[in-house]
Amino acid sequence: MREAYHVELKQLADRLAEMSVQVATAMERATEALLEANLALAEQVISDDAKIDDLRAECEEQAYALLALQAPVATDLRTVLAAIHAAESVERMGDLALHVAKTARRRHPECALPEPVRPYFAEMGELGVKLALRTQEIIKSQDVEAARALEADDDHVDDIHRHLFSVIMDKDWAYGVAAAVDVTLLGRFYERYADHAVSVAKRMIFVATGKMPGYGADEDV
Amino acid sequence: MREAYHVELKQLADRLAEMSVQVATAMERATEALLEANLALAEQVISDDAKIDDLRAECEEQAYALLALQAPVATDLRTVLAAIHAAESVERMGDLALHVAKTARRRHPECALPEPVRPYFAEMGELGVKLALRTQEIIKSQDVEAARALEADDDHVDDIHRHLFSVIMDKDWAYGVAAAVDVTLLGRFYERYADHAVSVAKRMIFVATGKMPGYGADEDV
């Protein structure tokens, strides 16, 4: 019984890790679609989102079955509950990549981003992908130090995000209101994507230590 | 044992309902703070957010204890898991009200909202409060029809939110980029607040029916 239980738990972690890889790919493609006004890539992210939703549903069903059939306690219980939370956060990361892709599609053949802000999005995109891939590793390794280190990259995303506001609010901003609105929302999507990666890492710390490292609101805009 | 279990489950639902009332109050005050540039009210929402975070932590601890000690199955299991999800969503509603309050504080003594968009925010605020209070009722009653009906009010918030974009992107928008950025983010906060209320309602439908009425991304911006 316990043997079967740990096989199932491993399978659940593998599914979650697979989801993290998929949302990393989604964000990588969505960022390229955004920067290059690449419609085909945007469409691919949009159609692939259903797979992430399906994986999430599978994770949740498996977690529910584990709870109902095995009634785990202590660390095993925390692991299953962390997986349920993580599945929600990672699916949300997929939604945010989807929003980026939809914005790219909406503005095609134009690029949604005026030239001066593109490097910021290229960097936030890279950091986002890195965060999602490190989330995947943490899910597999349950490495508490790696989970704690994740916050540093999130801080970096927050810094870029804050700086973006000073760019669009500057009196020299020459691209008008519509572009500023796009940049505002897109910046928010990247920032929230990174926040969710941190939230998954915090859940993994909770599994390993039994202590939740604080909720708190997302970074101020 | 089963008796004690149902007493605990009832207590958990009461706490969640109490959280919903608190986030309704937070949104009501945050909206007034925003519309009236009322700093004292904004500060109150900001300092009260910790209470919502505490209630969420209590809900989660209680739910974990229920799972560990009672190993519920079937509907009882779904109820506890729905409570864990709902606590996360309702806390997030509190965070979004907090963001509104912080924006009001940041712009004080100015009003963050140019005059033409104020009625939209007044209406989204009212709908948000209504959604949170109906969420509270649904948590108590587990009324599936009421939960399904919630989506209609969310659609209304989405309509206003979409309309806001046409206002700020109109060539006659005379309030500049900074105000448009504030309106964009504030609109997003209200829209997400309403989405989370719907998400709680969907979880309650899942408890009652055993079927999850679909995840999906939030409404497009």
Side-chain angles (χ1 to χ4, degrees), chain B residues 9 52 57 88 107 131 136 167 188 192 208 210 219:
Chain B
L9 214 52
I52 297 166
E88 184 158 5
R107 298 296 170 237
L131 280 164
Q136 175 231 8
V167 174
R188 178 92 186 145
R192 293 295 297 149
E219 271 301 303

Side-chain angles (χ1 to χ4, degrees), chain B residues 44-82:
Chain B
Q44 194 178 354
V45 174
I46 293 163
S47 64
D48 282 351
D49 186 58
K51 291 183 203 161
I52 297 166
D53 292 346
D54 288 347
L55 267 176
R56 187 255 171 108
E58 283 170 33
C59 281
E60 208 162 276
E61 273 161 34
Q62 196 184 0
Y64 280 33
L66 271 167
L67 291 173
L69 301 174
Q70 312 274 359
V73 294
T75 304
D76 287 344
L77 174 60
R78 286 203 301 267
T79 305
V80 177
L81 293 171

Side-chain angles (χ1 to χ4, degrees), chain A residues 66-164:
Chain A
L66 271 168
L67 291 173
L69 301 175
Q70 311 276 0
V73 294
T75 303
D76 287 344
L77 173 60
R78 287 203 300 268
T79 305
V80 178
L81 293 172
I84 292 174
H85 283 292
E88 183 158 5
S89 292
V90 178
E91 193 222 332
R92 187 76 200 134
M93 291 166 78
D95 288 343
L96 291 159
L98 174 72
H99 288 338
V100 172
K102 284 188 172 175
T103 307
R105 181 172 71 176
R106 197 177 307 122
R107 299 295 171 237
H108 184 269
E110 301 290 314
C111 176
L113 298 175
E115 199 281 326
V117 297
R118 283 181 211 166
Y120 302 116
F121 282 91
E123 199 176 352
M124 286 194 293
E126 256 178 54
L127 286 166
V129 171
K130 194 173 142 194
L131 280 165
L133 293 177
R134 283 173 61 196
T135 300
Q136 173 230 9
E137 283 160 25
I138 291 163
I139 288 166
K140 288 189 160 183
S141 67
Q142 300 197 358
D143 179 339
V144 172
E145 286 318 305
R148 290 204 175 108
L150 210 81
E151 292 203 57
D153 275 337
D154 177 46
D155 288 345
H156 195 168
V157 173
D158 289 336
D159 289 342
I160 300 170
H161 184 230
R162 254 189 302 270
H163 183 68
L164 260 184

